[in-house]
């Protein structure tokens, strides 16, 4: 099971990733509105990857995705210099998927989805 400490560490990994994004040379402004663990999206993303390469890798190491993959709902507002990046700006909502490194135990940003309906509730977190 995912502990409260796991959730805090995953949220911290996401905060650090967002800070990195805010410091990119193409970022003109960046404001974090919300960073929250999403139980619904976590279950959905775990089920989505349950039979793929990721699950096989963890199974080979006697681990489970249910203990090592977390979805964090993020809402931020940003403005980018479009001469330097094609990234969309504005009010952004997404799920950031955080995966525990089995060798270090550290939580790292692994992937993200801007399709809120695919993994969770549309436009809201469910903490």
């Amino acid at each position: 099971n995912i502990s409260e400490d796991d959730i805090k560490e995953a949220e911290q990994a996401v905060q650090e990733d967002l800070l990195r994004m805010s410091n990119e040379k193409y970022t003109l402004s960046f404001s974090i509105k919300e960073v929250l663990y999403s139980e619904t999206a976590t279950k959905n993303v775990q089920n989505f990857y349950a039979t793929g390469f990721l699950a096989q890798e963890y199974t080979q190491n006697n681990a489970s995705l249910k203990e090592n993959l977390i979805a964090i709902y993020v809402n931020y507002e940003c403005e980018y210099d479009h001469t330097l990046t094609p990234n969309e700006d504005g009010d952004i909502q997404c799920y950031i998927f955080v995966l525990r490194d089995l060798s270090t135990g550290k939580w790292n940003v692994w992937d993200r989805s801007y399709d809120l309906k695919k993994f969770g509730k549309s436009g809201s977190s469910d903490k």
Side-chain angles (χ1 to χ4, degrees):
N1 288 340
I2 295 173
S3 71
E4 286 296 317
D5 286 342
D6 290 334
I7 292 167
K8 287 178 188 173
E9 290 172 21
E11 288 175 341
Q12 181 62 38
V14 167
Q15 291 275 5
E16 290 169 8
D17 187 63
L18 294 172
L19 179 61
R20 179 197 54 77
M21 289 173 56
S22 74
N23 289 325
E24 293 289 348
K25 64 182 177 181
Y26 53 77
T27 304
L28 301 175
S29 67
F30 198 95
S31 174
I32 300 169
K33 295 180 175 183
E34 201 170 18
V35 175
L36 291 171
Y37 166 70
S38 171
E39 184 176 7
T40 298
T42 295
K43 288 177 183 175
N44 290 341
V45 74
Q46 289 169 348
N47 290 335
F48 184 79
Y49 288 105
T51 59
F53 73 94
L54 188 61
Q56 290 173 0
E57 178 182 332
Y58 276 76
T59 301
Q60 289 170 0
N61 289 290
N62 296 319
S64 164
L65 281 184
K66 292 193 184 300
E67 298 167 352
N68 295 291
L69 179 60
I70 293 177
I72 304 294
Y73 168 81
V74 175
N75 182 355
Y76 61 92
E77 192 163 333
C78 60
E79 181 181 357
Y80 295 128
D81 179 342
H82 293 288
T83 64
L84 300 174
T85 184
N87 291 356
E88 288 190 33
D89 48 18
D91 186 39
I92 308 295
Q93 296 180 57
C94 67
Y95 287 111
I96 297 181
F97 305 128
V98 188
L99 194 60
R100 186 189 337 245
D101 183 309
L102 291 177
S103 61
T104 65
K106 186 175 190 258
W107 290 94
N108 299 298
V109 170
W110 175 65
D111 201 0
R112 60 189 75 224
S113 175
Y114 296 91
D115 184 352
L116 296 181
K117 292 179 183 174
K118 182 174 183 176
F119 291 105
K121 297 180 180 177
S122 178
S124 68
S125 61
D126 61 357
K127 181 162 182 165

